Every structure is written in C-alpha cells, then in structure tokens.
Amino acid sequence: RADMVRVDSTAAARRVVEDLLAQGRRQFAVLETPQADNAAPERLAGAVSALEAAGLALAEGARISAADDEAASVVERLLALQPAPDALLVGSANAALQVYSALRGRGVEVPGQMAIVSFEPLPGALAALLPIGVMARPAEELGAAAARLLLERIDNPRMPARDQVLEAQYTPARVG
C-alpha cells in the first residue's frame, strides 16, 4: 500500500554463493547479525538456493547468529565444524572485521583457507586493504529512486503503490 525501494537480498546472496562456488568453495557458513539485519532470511534463502542448485547444502551448525561484538567468539565454533567452512557469509561489516581478525590470529589465511563476504560495506579504506568481499546496498541509487518515487507520488497521489527492486553491488575480495 506504499511505494517501496529495496534491494533483492535473495538474488544478492545467490550471486555471492555462485561466485564463491566458481572459485572452488564448497563448505559454506553463515553468520547472521540480527540486531540490525532484517534481510537475513532473504539472504539465507538465496544462499541455500545457490547451494542446492550446485548439489550442496549448508552443513549442520554452519548457520550461526551472533551480535557484532560476539562475532570473534564464533570463530572457534566455525573452525570446529567438520569439515571447516571455506566460505563465510557475514551479515555486518563489524562482524566481518572481527571474524577476519580472529581468523588471522589463529593462522587461518583469508581468503586462501576461508573467504569472507560482508553484506555491509567495510568502513573507510579497509575495503581496499582487506581481503573481504562485500555485497552492499547501492545507497545512492536507493536514495535517488526513493526521492523520484516521492516526487512522482506528490504529483499523482492516487497512483497505485510501486515496488522498485535494485541490484546489490558486489565487490569480490581483493587477492594478493
């Protein structure tokens, strides 16, 4: 009943998993950060869909939910999975940074042994410095589309509600 501009989180996660599968990744884990993440169910559906299409599944225990400040503590649980994941999808940038630091502290090579993809942009220059992939909402496009819909709504308040879906922007991990 209202105009909406959104990102297709299911397609975004599917795209990330397909990219990681093409790189040879086969053991996936998901770290959801529920405190500020309402797209987690859609991303999980996209990831599971891509894995199923490849004849794979998310392993038992490979879906973990933790607050940003608890992300580093889940690394031990991830590394204890048999086999250990070689790809990790993370709901927030802060959690991705904590996991990256914890993995490096345990001698795990990122992205060599485990690829990390954050579903939020990394702060500042860290995106260019760290080997963490990012799938992010296109903030400028979302704002411009919302403003356009609002202006059109002001001109024609009786038009039917519109739902505009944008594509997320994927930046694979920097390697080397």
Side-chain angles (χ1 to χ4, degrees):
R1 296 171 130 322
D3 294 328
M4 177 182 282
V5 179
R6 61 189 174 90
V7 171
D8 186 343
S9 296
T10 303
R14 190 178 307 115
R15 183 171 159 208
V16 166
V17 170
E18 288 168 351
D19 180 68
L20 293 170
L21 287 167
Q23 294 174 27
R25 308 294 174 165
R26 294 295 178 264
Q27 301 300 321
F28 286 74
V30 175
L31 173 55
E32 298 170 339
T33 53
Q35 69 279 3
D37 191 2
N38 59 0
E42 291 84 12
R43 283 198 308 266
L44 181 64
V48 167
S49 169
L51 289 171
E52 288 175 350
L56 300 170
L58 200 58
E60 177 95 20
R63 179 182 175 198
I64 299 171
S65 181
D68 280 354
D69 60 356
E70 300 170 338
S73 67
V74 304
V75 168
E76 292 303 323
R77 286 196 291 173
L78 289 171
L79 296 177
L81 293 172
Q82 292 300 319
D86 60 4
L88 176 62
L89 310 180
V90 185
S92 77
N94 287 335
L97 292 172
Q98 284 195 26
V99 166
Y100 171 78
S101 179
L103 287 169
R104 296 294 296 149
R106 286 164 181 78
V108 177
E109 293 180 26
V110 176
Q113 291 173 276
M114 188 181 303
I116 301 173
V117 176
S118 171
F119 280 88
E120 261 185 2
L122 300 178
L126 292 178
L129 298 173
L130 298 179
I132 297 174
V134 174
M135 177 61 86
R137 293 179 173 102
E140 287 184 29
E141 287 180 49
L142 284 167
R148 190 173 43 258
L149 290 181
L150 176 61
L151 292 172
E152 291 170 3
R153 173 70 49 206
I154 290 169
D155 287 341
N156 186 359
R158 290 192 173 91
M159 77 171 63
R162 294 150 309 155
D163 183 14
Q164 186 170 353
V165 181
L166 301 178
E167 195 172 314
Q169 299 168 335
Y170 180 46
T171 305
R174 178 192 65 77
V175 180

